[in-house]
């Protein structure tokens, strides 16, 4: 089968032929229909992600596919079931093995290209805003990188939770997408001063930040008293240094959030959140945005869309 493989961290990933994997105990084999890409895939390809597999390995953290074989001790989901799963790697291939316990049946009305990019982005925003930030109806949510893979879902979920949502993105096209997703106010970080604009709107009670860098520093200075700042990632490439005097004076809480980390200490929280999200989708309350769907042989081009920030919403690869 074909797989987009990382052979070493000095060489770009490449599409090669590898043996079809055999599911071990507790695993199942999927015929992969689609793989959703994440910023973490770029880090993993360079060996800088916190949970990079041992070399060599196949990129692709989350997939949607059909169960075609069970490993020892596995009986569910049944063969023929279409499921979504966050496996951490192995998704940019025609077939892959994944833990059966982490697979969730996909709603019938959800396309595979949508399901493949649903778990990480929506799961991140849902758990971050509900479990960690405790976002309340009527509060103001400031979303940085609001047209990106996770940022756009934070806009949607924040709005569904009853918050007033301020979306920050770059350029008119991305702002329009955030507005369509439910943002009450939009700010162009290329042409407007984020600190001034957010303060004029009454400040922020919760900040959702997958960007870091200068935007984090500007956003921190818009916090209302007892605000919560959730750090999701550092797409800017710069990890901000937090000025403790500001968080002290305003009683601000800065919260770290790593969605994948829950797999090792509270996987049930992820699975419960995912069930809630699939229900919201089935009820028509979530409208996932997939900006690009590319074939497996264009995996490098798909990753470059993330690298250069030319995508909005999710980028998906279909074997």
């Amino acid at each position: 089968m074909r797989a987009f493989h990382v052979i070493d961290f000095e060489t770009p990933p490449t599409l090669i032929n590898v043996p079809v994997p055999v599911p071990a105990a507790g695993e199942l084999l999927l015929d992969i229909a689609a793989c959703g890409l994440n910023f973490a895939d770029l880090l993993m390809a360079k060996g800088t992600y916190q949970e990079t597999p041992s070399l060599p390995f196949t990129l692709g953290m989350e997939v949607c596919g059909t169960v075609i074989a069970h490993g020892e001790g596995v009986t569910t989901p049944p063969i023929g079931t279409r499921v979504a799963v966050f496996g951490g790697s192995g998704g940019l291939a025609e077939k892959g093995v994944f833990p059966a316990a982490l697979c969730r049946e996909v709603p019938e009305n959800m396309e595979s290209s949508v399901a493949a990019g649903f778990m990480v982005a929506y799961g991140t925003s849902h758990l971050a805003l509900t479990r960690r930030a405790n976002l309340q109806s009527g509060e103001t949510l400031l979303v940085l990188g609001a047209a990106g893979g996770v940022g756009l879902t934070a806009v949607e979920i924040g709005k569904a939770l009853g918050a007033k949502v301020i979306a920050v993105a770059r350029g008119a096209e991305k702002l329009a997408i955030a507005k369509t997703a439910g943002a009450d106010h939009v700010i162009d970080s290329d042409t407007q001063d984020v600190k001034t604009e957010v303060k004029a709107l009454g400040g922020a009670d919760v900040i959702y930040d997958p960007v870091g860098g200068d935007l984090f520093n500007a956003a921190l200075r818009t916090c209302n008293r007892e605000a919560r700042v959730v750090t999701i990632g550092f797409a800017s490439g710069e990890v901000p240094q937090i000025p403790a005097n500001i968080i002290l004076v305003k009683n601000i809480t800065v919260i770290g959030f790593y969605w994948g980390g829950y797999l090792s200490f509270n996987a049930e929280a992820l699975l419960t959140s995912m069930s809630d999200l699939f229900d919201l989708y089935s009820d028509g309350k979530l409208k996932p945005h997939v900006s690009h769907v590319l074939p497996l042989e264009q995996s490098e081009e798909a990753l470059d869309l993330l690298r250069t920030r030319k995508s909005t919403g999710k980028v998906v690869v279909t074997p």
Side-chain angles (χ1 to χ4, degrees):
M1 70 171 193
R2 297 179 303 156
F4 195 61
H5 226 48
V6 178
I7 299 170
D8 62 64
F9 298 127
E10 308 304 319
T11 306
T14 185
L15 189 64
I16 62 173
N17 282 307
V18 299
V20 175
V22 177
E27 295 181 334
L28 47 71
L29 177 65
L30 294 184
D31 184 21
I32 297 173
C35 174
L37 298 188
N38 295 277
F39 188 78
D41 289 307
L42 296 175
L43 303 178
M44 198 177 289
K46 297 188 296 183
T48 58
Y49 190 59
Q50 57 262 36
E51 293 186 8
T52 298
S54 300
L55 292 168
F57 65 91
T58 299
L59 281 175
M61 303 179 73
E62 57 177 336
V63 304
C64 177
T66 301
V67 180
I68 54 176
H70 290 149
E72 182 182 349
V74 177
T75 57
T76 58
I79 289 175
T81 305
R82 193 167 59 106
V83 300
V85 60
F86 173 81
S89 62
L92 284 174
E94 293 175 323
K95 295 177 175 59
V97 293
F98 304 96
L102 299 181
C103 293
R104 282 293 177 267
E105 186 171 351
V106 175
E108 288 185 9
N109 64 338
M110 180 182 280
E111 294 181 8
S112 294
S113 59
V114 171
F118 190 82
M119 297 190 80
V120 173
Y122 279 96
T124 294
S125 294
H126 185 260
L127 214 57
L129 294 177
T130 57
R131 183 184 180 93
R132 300 292 281 146
N134 193 28
L135 178 66
Q136 300 295 304
S137 179
E139 289 189 313
T140 297
L141 169 66
L142 175 63
V143 180
L144 307 181
V150 292
L152 200 58
T153 65
V155 172
E156 273 194 280
I157 291 171
K159 196 62 183 173
L161 293 172
K164 179 176 80 172
V165 180
I166 304 172
V168 177
R170 303 172 65 182
E173 180 184 355
K174 292 185 176 182
L175 292 177
I177 291 170
K179 191 76 172 177
T180 300
D184 298 285
H185 304 280
V186 294
I187 298 171
D188 189 338
S189 57
D190 276 344
T191 61
Q192 296 175 282
D193 183 77
V194 171
K195 175 184 172 182
T196 300
E197 296 295 330
V198 175
K199 280 194 163 187
L201 292 168
D205 300 307
V206 172
I207 295 172
Y208 182 98
D209 178 24
V211 179
D214 291 339
L215 271 182
F216 174 93
N217 295 324
L220 184 65
R221 287 158 174 80
T222 71
C223 283
N224 295 327
R225 298 190 185 279
E226 294 193 326
R228 289 86 72 201
V229 182
V230 190
T231 58
I232 304 297
F234 313 106
S236 67
E238 182 182 342
V239 179
Q241 302 303 301
I242 300 169
N245 60 316
I246 294 179
I247 65 175
L248 182 152
V249 170
K250 287 192 171 183
N251 290 295
I252 296 168
T253 302
V254 180
I255 303 166
F257 182 77
Y258 168 40
W259 184 84
Y262 278 82
L263 288 171
S264 63
F265 71 92
N266 191 353
E268 189 57 36
L270 294 185
L271 298 176
T272 299
S273 170
M274 195 51 51
S275 294
D276 292 342
L277 286 165
F278 278 149
D279 288 343
L280 287 171
Y281 179 87
S282 294
D283 291 341
K285 295 180 180 178
L286 300 177
K287 306 290 185 184
H289 178 74
V290 178
S291 65
H292 296 80
V293 178
L294 286 80
L296 187 60
E297 54 269 23
Q298 290 183 251
S299 294
E300 179 53 43
E301 291 92 326
L303 287 170
D304 195 56
L305 289 168
L306 300 184
R307 188 181 294 115
T308 57
R309 302 190 195 182
K310 293 180 180 178
S311 61
T312 55
K314 291 295 289 190
V315 176
V316 173
V317 170
T318 56

